[in-house]
Amino acid sequence: MTSLNNLTIHELHELLKNNETTSLEITANYLEKIKQKDVLLNSYLYVDYTGATEQAEQTDEYIKKIKNSANSDFPYLTGIPLSIKDIFLMKGKKTTCASKILENFISPYDSTVIKKLKENNFVFLGKANMDEFAMGSSTENSAFKTTKNPWDIKRVPGGSSGGSAASVSADLCAGSFGTDTGGSIRQPAGLCGVVGLKPTYGMVSRYGIVAFSSSLDQAGPIAKDVLDSAILLDAVAGFDGFDQTSRKFKIKKYSDIVKKADKSKIKGLKVGIPKEFLSEGLDDEILSNIQEIQNNLRELGAEIVEISLPDTAYSIAAYYVMATSEASSNLERYDGIRYGLRSAKNSPDNALNSPIGLNSLDDNNMISGGTTANHANLEEIYINSRTAGFGNEVKRRIMLGTFALSAGYYDAYYKKAALIRKLIIKNYKDAFGKVDLIIGPTSPTAAFLIGEKANDPLSMYLSDIYTISVNLAYLPAMSIPSGITSKNNSNGAGLPIGLQIIAPWCSEDKMLETAKIIEDIVDFRKKYQPGATF
Ligand code: GLN
């Protein structure tokens, strides 16, 4: 029954409801495929074979009981196996954030996202690979392994949630959760031909998610289709008192909205295309793909409006000042004292071989054990542990952020970046005064080659040009697959193209409805599949 693997969450739910399969059968199929294929793809950092099997068995019992009760309904995610980006804390399981510094860190509690998924009785398959501390666009910055793109294993899956996107795309799970600080859900979803949704800032709790840049970080789903992305969002959206930036939004049932989506809703819809998104650097075929979608929408009665987001060009610079500043502060906690890796000797080389695990937590969840004997003083522990524990990109960002926040430079960098952020917010506000939604590319090119940008941080940073401003403006946006590159594409043939839909603050309903209608027109999942090469 390998065909179970490529079904969507809503399709699997129907089978579970109608006694045509069990959670155990679904889970066993995924675990078997992971065992066979993930040696090639590296989408998982850790697979919970035993835990997933046990959970599936228990869930089957639970489903049986529910079916015999008066209200025989159970949630969409009950019995459904998911992969989870290794940035979400899950009690008793490792959370490494793909960093040596957290290599043996066992989560002492559940993040709110995981808590809510558990309330839905999901099945946890394992932790998905990512760029270290979510810093990157290719998953090459993972301290442990590089994930491959299921459409072409010579290429990156995007990042930082590359493991999540690759595992969904290769049918190694039914869906996944990632985080998006500057594009890390949308860009990998775009490059892997799946759906990725970054909700409005404040809609999904950040509690228990390892912080990168707290004013930009937002968790969201990566899914096989638009309805699944809404189902996953429904499960985790909502106010949470544990996250100070969580908002009391009027949350809707997004899966119901997607189910009711109808082409007639496009009539009169004003869709903006920012001219700054269609400029230099954009792959020709991605440009023509957007024009095609534009024509499709126009045929259904939409009004296509050229708009301007005039300060787009400054968004990358502003982002890299703000995100690195916040990161330098958030990452101060990894000091070799409280948790994570502590260098054992006064030599960074030795330190790498001697991580201190958290398997010996004391009552306060502090490390017990580990020696400080070989360090001359506290500062040496800090320096050696951080030198050994962090990778190059993380160090680069800590240095950039520390510099930007330092006395005498604050006004020139951080303050200026904050002012640009205000301009970007205003750009979007003006645009949404004229249009209901904005569409554009998710990335300037399809998936690039592994190694192509690894030694050129600036060109890697530029690959996020269309996604970053959305985070700066706190807006919701999603990427859906909208086509495929041709044989002659010089940036790579036969690769998925992602279309980005950006909505006004808290307008996930309109965004998802339109995404579903475009999805039906493109019919991507029926026409194209990855896997020829793996
Ligand atoms: N690629 C961007 C960066 O490297 C965004 C990362 C993210 O969204 N987590 O910062």
Side-chain angles (χ1 to χ4, degrees), residues 201-265:
Y201 182 80
M203 184 174 280
V204 176
S205 171
R206 294 181 299 108
Y207 178 69
I209 299 173
V210 179
F212 161 14
S213 176
S214 309
S215 79
L216 299 158
D217 297 343
Q218 185 59 199
I222 296 188
K224 296 187 194 200
D225 71 0
V226 173
L227 178 53
D228 276 8
S229 74
I231 288 169
L232 291 164
L233 180 61
D234 282 341
V236 300
F239 175 74
D240 179 18
F242 287 121
D243 173 0
Q244 286 182 339
T245 56
S246 176
R247 300 287 291 249
K248 285 191 173 138
F249 292 129
K250 258 214 182 97
I251 305 288
K252 300 194 175 151
K253 191 148 185 230
Y254 299 107
S255 50
D256 283 350
I257 290 166
V258 172
K259 281 190 272 184
K260 283 190 216 126
D262 182 273
K263 284 189 174 136
S264 65
K265 299 273 174 56

Side-chain angles (χ1 to χ4, degrees), residues 356-404:
I356 308 273
L358 266 197
N359 29 15
S360 51
L361 286 178
D362 67 16
D363 290 345
N364 301 314
N365 289 321
M366 295 292 194
I367 302 171
S368 48
T371 173
T372 55
N374 298 316
H375 296 90
N377 52 40
L378 192 60
E379 199 180 349
E380 242 178 37
I381 300 182
Y382 292 163
I383 292 173
N384 290 338
S385 302
R386 289 166 71 85
T387 302
F390 288 136
N392 287 344
E393 182 61 26
V394 176
K395 285 178 185 155
R396 182 171 15 245
R397 294 193 188 204
I398 291 173
M399 287 191 281
L400 264 171
T402 308
F403 175 75

Side-chain angles (χ1 to χ4, degrees), residues 85 131 133-138 141 159-161 179-187 212 217 319-320 323 393 397 460-461 463-464 467-468 471:
K85 184 180 186 177
D131 286 297
F133 283 104
M135 299 175 185
S137 309
S138 67
N141 294 338
S160 62
S161 314
T179 56
D180 191 314
T181 305
S184 278
I185 289 175
R186 290 160 287 158
Q187 184 256 19
F212 161 14
D217 297 343
Y319 169 87
Y320 276 96
E393 182 61 26
R397 294 193 188 204
M460 188 77 88
Y461 295 173
S463 66
D464 297 323
T467 49
I468 267 175
N471 300 70

Side-chain angles (χ1 to χ4, degrees), residues 469-495:
S469 60
V470 169
N471 300 70
L472 289 170
Y474 308 98
L475 298 172
M478 65 192 292
S479 178
I480 60 168
S482 56
I484 203 132
T485 59
S486 74
K487 275 211 305 274
N488 309 320
N489 190 302
S490 57
N491 291 315
L495 300 170

